[in-house]
Amino acid sequence: MTIKVLVADDHAAVRAGIVLILDGVEDIEVVGEAADGEQAVAMAREVRPDVVLMDVRMPRLDGISATRELAGVSDVLILTTFDLDEYVFGALRAGAAGFLLKSTDAESLVEAVRLVARGDGLISPGVTRKLIAAFAGQAPRREPVADPGSLTPREREVLACIGRGLSNAEIARELDMAEATTKTHVSRVLNKLGLKSRVQAAIYYSG
């Protein structure tokens, strides 16, 4: 299956570099480029990409507001210089699927896109662990709409694995179940706790 990607960044050189990398990958297709948040939202709603690579600071509409508007449309992978400021914290609350440093090498960029497209999100790299720790310690956590007691024993095991930064494939191996079953459990955990993403689930677990 070809992964459709939209690249949103107001710096033309950065955007061109990302597109150049992704266009050379057989299973990834860049279906659009956006120079600001408003353009990113409009284009994403039109072409329905699997993943939006979203810069944080952009004109007209910032990446956080754009991410919030794209909930249920596409998974958003935030591009950041890792300032750990309120923009990044806001991305977590908005439901971003993960975070990617602009200095990331080509191989890691491609793998990040594939991970998010599979529904895994980026919660295992050391960068994201640092981000989670900072968010949990400095920013208020969104309360879940349901008590964690509503989770089944298996769902609690899955939540613990998410909190440790395991991907769906790794959870499936650890808990000895099919990856498709794992994805179902992850979705149920998010729904029951009123969370938007795996990153939020990891923060909830660690908090």
Side-chain angles (χ1 to χ4, degrees):
M1 182 187 74
T2 300
I3 301 168
K4 297 189 297 181
V5 178
L6 170 66
V7 180
D9 197 297
D10 62 325
H11 291 90
V14 174
R15 200 168 62 245
I18 293 172
V19 171
L20 182 63
I21 292 170
L22 297 181
D23 270 344
V25 181
E26 185 176 352
D27 62 336
I28 295 177
E29 177 188 3
V30 176
V31 293
E33 299 179 45
D36 60 61
E38 284 189 8
Q39 188 178 16
V41 171
M43 194 172 295
R45 286 174 173 165
E46 179 182 353
V47 301
R48 298 281 171 163
D50 301 299
V51 180
V52 177
L53 284 170
M54 184 83 74
D55 188 19
V56 176
R57 298 186 179 100
M58 291 188 293
R60 296 211 295 168
L61 187 69
D62 64 75
I64 309 312
S65 300
T67 297
R68 191 175 296 112
E69 291 196 27
L70 289 178
V73 176
S74 302
D75 286 323
V76 176
L77 181 55
I78 293 291
L79 294 167
T80 177
T81 53
F82 203 56
D83 291 332
L84 287 181
D85 56 16
E86 278 301 316
Y87 285 99
V88 180
F89 298 148
L92 285 167
R93 300 188 195 103
F99 299 84
L100 191 66
L101 289 177
K102 288 189 175 181
S103 58
T104 298
D105 60 54
E107 183 178 353
S108 298
L109 170 62
V110 171
E111 184 56 27
V113 169
R114 288 171 175 158
L115 280 170
V116 170
R118 289 202 302 262
D120 281 334
L122 289 180
I123 60 172
S124 57
V127 164
T128 309
R129 290 183 186 279
K130 182 178 179 182
L131 176 60
I132 289 171
F135 182 88
Q138 298 177 23
R141 172 163 56 86
R142 174 179 177 270
E143 292 299 323
V145 298
D147 188 275
S150 64
L151 299 181
T152 66
R154 178 59 95 184
E155 288 165 353
R156 291 193 196 100
E157 291 177 335
V158 170
L159 176 60
C161 289
I162 293 174
R164 288 164 48 203
L166 301 187
S167 68
N168 283 352
E170 290 168 334
I171 295 173
R173 286 194 296 271
E174 175 147 331
L175 300 183
D176 192 24
M177 58 185 179
E179 190 168 347
T181 303
T182 300
K183 293 176 69 173
T184 298
H185 281 304
V186 169
S187 295
R188 287 176 179 168
V189 167
L190 296 181
N191 289 335
K192 285 186 177 182
L193 296 181
L195 303 172
K196 295 180 180 179
S197 70
R198 296 171 67 100
V199 177
Q200 285 189 350
I203 294 167
Y204 172 75
Y205 181 78
S206 64

